[in-house]
Amino acid sequence: MSDMNSIYRQVIMDHYKNPRNKGLKEEEGYVLCHLKNPSCGDMINVESKIQNGLVSDIRQDGQGCSICCASASIISETLKGKSVKDALNIIDNYLKMVSNEEYDKSIDLDELAVFEGIKDFPARVRCASIAAQALRKTLEKEEKNA
Ligand code: ZN
């Protein structure tokens, strides 16, 4: 990751060393998704809870490389408190950004913007994506059940 902007790298390392919303609740009202990234050994669990159309809580747990763990932490922090619709929209655009696809730059990705440089490291795109994909699955499941 030596080509990545050093401020971005610092944010990623901070979230890797001090993960936010770490540890699962496994309580009623939480929906869990588990995803693996075989290419690098990442394993991630994401739990979310929806109340009144808002993502009231996001928890994450797992093990993996710094990119994977930091993205789970940043996603949990960035999307907590957002409406389900906004959260899904941010996830969608974030996943496009890291995959080097066209995305809506008018959407505020907040700290998730630190992963913009991942597109230049194709082997790490999945590392940066699995937590977002897991969260998308839990939100879609909950929306259906609502
Ligand atoms: Zn990884």
Side-chain angles (χ1 to χ4, degrees):
M1 301 282 115
S2 57
D3 293 350
M4 279 177 83
N5 179 303
S6 73
I7 294 167
Y8 283 8
R9 217 164 45 224
Q10 277 171 32
V11 172
I12 290 169
M13 286 318 288
D14 175 51
H15 277 271
Y16 178 57
K17 287 181 185 150
N18 309 292
R20 323 295 201 268
N21 304 301
K22 176 114 176 159
L24 302 178
K25 292 266 189 190
E26 301 184 273
E27 286 171 11
E28 207 185 315
Y30 283 83
V31 175
L32 175 70
C33 180
H34 173 75
L35 282 184
K36 276 186 206 165
N37 174 16
S39 71
C40 142
D42 300 326
M43 281 195 303
I44 199 88
N45 291 301
V46 173
E47 253 186 355
S48 68
K49 185 177 187 172
I50 296 178
Q51 275 175 314
N52 304 320
L54 297 179
V55 186
S56 63
D57 200 10
I58 301 170
R59 306 292 304 178
Q60 53 89 14
D61 199 8
Q63 39 190 294
C65 66
S66 56
I67 298 295
C68 173
C69 294
S71 75
S73 174
I74 293 175
I75 276 161
S76 70
E77 195 171 66
T78 304
L79 298 185
K80 208 160 136 173
K82 297 260 190 298
S83 72
V84 175
K85 193 169 160 266
D86 286 349
L88 286 170
N89 198 17
I90 290 170
I91 290 170
D92 197 47
N93 282 285
Y94 167 74
L95 289 171
K96 284 180 180 157
M97 177 187 79
V98 296
S99 310
N100 204 14
E101 291 170 31
E102 285 281 313
Y103 67 100
D104 183 352
K105 294 194 173 67
S106 71
I107 289 181
D108 183 8
L109 295 176
D110 208 322
E111 268 197 326
L112 286 169
V114 300
F115 293 104
E116 212 246 325
I118 287 290
K119 65 179 193 298
D120 300 323
F121 301 86
R124 312 306 298 277
V125 169
R126 181 125 173 90
C127 301
S129 301
I130 59 169
Q133 288 165 341
L135 181 61
R136 181 165 66 186
K137 281 205 166 99
T138 69
L139 294 178
E140 284 172 348
K141 236 189 267 178
E142 280 175 288
E143 258 197 329
K144 245 177 250 164
N145 297 339

